[in-house]
Amino acid sequence: MATTSKQYKNIGEDLWKGRAEKINAELFALTYGALVVQLLQDYEDYAEVNKQLEKMGYNIGTRLIEDFLAKSAIGRCADFREVGEVVSKVGFKSFLNITPSITHGVAPPPPSPKPDGGASTTQASAGSTFTLTLDENPLAEFVELPEEVLEGGLWFSNVLCGVIRGALEMVVIHFAQLSPSLKTNSSRQVQMQVQVDFISDVLRGDESTEIRVKLVKYLEEEVPIGDD
């Protein structure tokens, strides 16, 4: 039976309550703020700071996902829509104690099998996205950006984009389907390439803080059912 949004929300709440290594929210925000300031001093270029924050986040995400999957006991997601639900209701809740609202774009079609049954790359359909709206952002507490920083294009919390991208590119989506050519059941283990960007931020004067996650393409490999 598919997991519902309410069930995912409950999982996220349970993980947060059971997390022993919680850090003080104020200390967390101030420490992150000091990191951003140091990067600004080191690079003196807002675009490069955005890049460095995303890179740091990516490295964090690739490590967090293993711990997350082990503690949450969540199985493989069936599609990109379910990935979004897990990110919103379980991922953010378990690590930051917030639950962004989520808006889904067009769902991607399942990867099409290759005639030889080997590995292949499947392009996602245009508009395969979900958007996370953060009503609160623990990283941005006590923060007010100077005008020159706003004009320079800094995305203060860009580390979150990296974390999401790093985690998702380590995740496997599982497809079970009938192979038309072989008339047998096949199991498709699919990894994703995603693009993650801030599209608005209240720190920059926008009405809301939103992160858009776009599925760029699937990387797939077919294996017989029972071998995964």
Side-chain angles (χ1 to χ4, degrees):
M1 180 182 294
T3 305
T4 66
S5 294
K6 184 177 181 180
Q7 287 172 319
Y8 278 136
K9 186 175 181 180
N10 290 337
I11 293 172
E13 290 175 350
D14 290 342
L15 286 174
W16 173 255
K17 291 175 183 177
R19 184 170 290 279
E21 65 277 16
K22 295 187 182 77
I23 186 173
N24 178 273
E26 182 175 342
L27 175 62
F28 179 60
L30 293 175
T31 301
Y32 179 75
L35 168 65
V36 176
V37 170
Q38 186 61 55
L39 288 174
L40 288 169
Q41 292 174 348
D42 290 345
Y43 292 97
E44 299 181 344
D45 179 272
Y46 299 114
E48 185 61 30
V49 171
N50 287 338
K51 181 179 177 180
Q52 291 299 319
L53 288 172
E54 202 276 345
K55 183 178 179 180
M56 288 180 182
Y58 182 86
N59 291 332
I60 293 171
T62 59
R63 289 162 174 77
L64 283 183
I65 188 63
E66 199 170 315
D67 174 73
F68 171 75
L69 292 176
K71 291 182 177 178
S72 67
I74 293 176
R76 293 171 181 158
C77 294
D79 52 34
F80 196 58
R81 183 183 185 88
E82 187 175 4
V83 169
E85 293 294 322
V86 172
V87 170
S88 170
K89 296 176 175 61
V90 188
F92 270 88
K93 183 65 180 181
S94 64
F95 288 109
L96 294 177
N97 195 28
I98 62 173
T99 305
S101 58
I102 183 168
T103 304
H104 293 280
V106 178
S112 56
K114 290 182 67 177
D116 60 4
S120 65
T121 300
T122 303
Q123 296 294 329
S125 62
S128 302
T129 66
F130 60 82
T131 301
L132 302 167
T133 303
L134 283 64
D135 294 327
E136 51 185 324
N137 180 2
L139 296 180
E141 294 290 335
F142 321 113
V143 176
E144 185 174 340
L145 298 179
E147 192 64 32
E148 64 180 87
V149 175
L150 296 174
E151 293 176 355
L154 176 70
W155 292 104
F156 182 82
S157 304
N158 211 43
V159 69
L160 293 177
C161 293
V163 171
I164 295 171
R165 185 171 73 89
L168 292 189
E169 292 191 352
M170 296 293 106
V171 167
V172 173
I173 294 182
H174 180 77
F175 289 98
Q177 62 186 50
L178 180 68
S179 173
S181 58
L182 301 177
K183 296 184 179 180
T184 58
N185 286 328
S186 62
S187 175
R188 312 192 73 80
Q189 298 181 18
V190 183
Q191 288 185 281
M192 299 171 288
Q193 180 181 335
V194 297
Q195 178 181 332
V196 188
D197 299 291
F198 270 96
I199 56 175
S200 63
D201 191 344
V202 294
L203 289 180
R204 298 175 60 151
D206 299 316
E207 293 184 359
S208 61
T209 298
E210 295 181 312
I211 298 174
R212 178 165 295 159
V213 183
K214 179 181 179 181
L215 177 60
V216 177
K217 61 184 176 182
Y218 285 125
L219 304 173
E220 61 167 314
E221 183 173 355
E222 185 172 349
V223 297
I225 282 184
D227 287 1
D228 60 337

